[in-house]
Amino acid sequence: MKQKLFAANWKLNKGPKETKSFFEEFLPLLPQESQAQIVFFVPATNLESTAQLLSQTKIHFGAQNCYSQLNGAFTGEISAQIIKEIGARYILLGHSERRQIFKESDEFIALKGKLVQSLGLIPMLCIGETLEERDAGKTEKICEAQLVSFMKSIDLKKDWVVAYEPIWAIGTGRTATTQQVSETHAQIKKLIQREGGSSQTLILYGGSVKPENSKELLAIAEVDGFLVGGASLDPHSFSKICL
Ligand code: 13P
């Protein structure tokens, strides 16, 4: 069985002070023997403090985005090279908020995936459909387009992770049903293998995951873990999801 992965996406929340108090509360809540892999995607400004706070633990951390080039005249952008230097292991790419608010294209995201892997870091690609697309029966097509362009750019022999996040389930309290999750994850798994990827690639679910629904969702065979937004901001809620 694949080891489950639990990822927290803090989005634009928590400064260094709150990060410190979060981990002071969160770390004692995890049982010593816990085998869960945990990753925190913190705001870029907190990467350094997160690195220090997690240095004695097995928990990984990462950035929520990076630029498609390592350095140069790109004022205000974040370099994967610098993220790596701070000690991050993962970089989240293509979150629907990046796609929708910041107009990131599949091609741009694919470039970043290649760059992230070239540094030995692990890209976590977010994919997912809008409610209109689901209602129009286009979920598989949308996931396919987002996946295929990324897979063509990265090295499929190196690690990468997929997070399926239906946009209509993000921050809405409306979780996809177990049948919708199971069906879509199975389609994603098939697509990955069709494109020459591995059956071992982790496929996480994201979208209003909370302690009240996490056990049921994790019981779905095709779900390898979660990418959690809102509920990851509270140490107690997120620790319950990771247990
Ligand atoms: P919520 O868990 O708040 O719905 O957010 C999901 C998400 O966007 C994680 O990346």
Side-chain angles (χ1 to χ4, degrees):
M1 205 179 75
K2 296 183 209 167
Q3 199 182 11
K4 306 286 183 195
L5 176 60
F6 301 94
N9 177 8
W10 282 359
K11 308 189 180 185
L12 193 48
N13 295 291
K14 295 191 193 295
K17 272 197 209 119
E18 271 187 85
T19 301
K20 186 167 185 286
S21 53
F22 177 95
F23 285 119
E24 280 168 0
E25 264 193 77
F26 178 77
L27 294 175
L29 296 173
L30 284 185
Q32 289 291 330
E33 68 281 5
S34 169
Q35 289 301 313
Q37 298 185 73
I38 302 175
V39 185
F40 282 88
F41 291 103
V42 300
T45 42
N46 301 2
L47 285 167
E48 186 81 48
S49 58
T50 302
Q52 284 166 18
L53 291 161
L54 295 180
S55 63
Q56 304 300 318
T57 75
K58 284 187 280 186
I59 300 175
H60 292 290
F61 65 95
Q64 299 168 8
N65 180 34
C66 68
Y67 191 53
S68 58
Q69 298 205 41
L70 292 181
N71 45 47
F74 304 108
T75 304
E77 286 299 333
I78 310 164
S79 164
Q81 181 83 62
I82 300 172
I83 294 166
K84 180 183 173 170
E85 187 183 328
I86 299 172
R89 173 99 177 252
Y90 290 83
I91 302 188
L92 196 63
L93 295 177
H95 190 280
S96 59
E97 287 147 20
R98 301 286 330 160
R99 293 177 190 267
Q100 293 197 313
I101 305 170
F102 302 99
K103 309 292 174 220
E104 292 196 9
S105 66
D106 285 338
E107 294 70 29
F108 186 49
I109 295 161
L111 277 179
K112 298 185 199 195
K114 186 178 176 151
L115 185 82
V116 166
Q117 277 193 331
S118 74
L119 295 170
L121 300 179
I122 304 173
M124 183 181 290
L125 173 73
C126 300
I127 61 172
E129 81 287 0
T130 63
L131 190 56
E132 297 72 54
E133 288 161 348
R134 174 158 284 270
D135 289 345
K138 291 188 188 149
T139 300
E140 191 174 0
K141 277 269 153 284
I142 296 295
C143 290
E144 180 179 16
Q146 294 174 344
L147 264 179
V148 171
S149 94
F150 194 78
M151 290 183 72
K152 284 200 189 317
S153 173
I154 61 167
D155 181 344
L156 297 174
K157 288 192 232 52
K158 291 183 181 166
D159 279 343
W160 66 294
V161 179
V162 180
Y164 168 59
E165 300 204 304
I167 297 170
W168 46 274
I170 295 179
T172 57
R174 187 176 161 187
T175 322
T177 64
T178 49
Q179 197 193 335
Q180 287 170 325
V181 175
S182 154
E183 220 173 73
T184 314
H185 276 232
Q187 288 166 351
I188 293 167
K189 197 171 175 175
K190 246 196 192 154
L191 284 167
I192 291 175
Q193 289 176 264
R194 189 195 76 190
E195 293 301 309
S198 159
S199 61
Q200 296 305 303
T201 301
L202 297 180
I203 307 171
L204 313 185
Y205 169 77
S208 298
V209 175
K210 36 189 184 284
E212 296 75 31
N213 60 21
S214 62
K215 298 289 165 284
E216 191 186 3
L217 288 163
L218 203 60
I220 302 170
E222 296 85 3
V223 170
D224 301 315
F226 300 125
L227 179 57
V228 186
S232 74
L233 296 171
D234 175 74
H236 291 272
S237 298
F238 191 56
S239 68
K240 283 187 195 141
I241 293 170
C242 296
L243 290 179

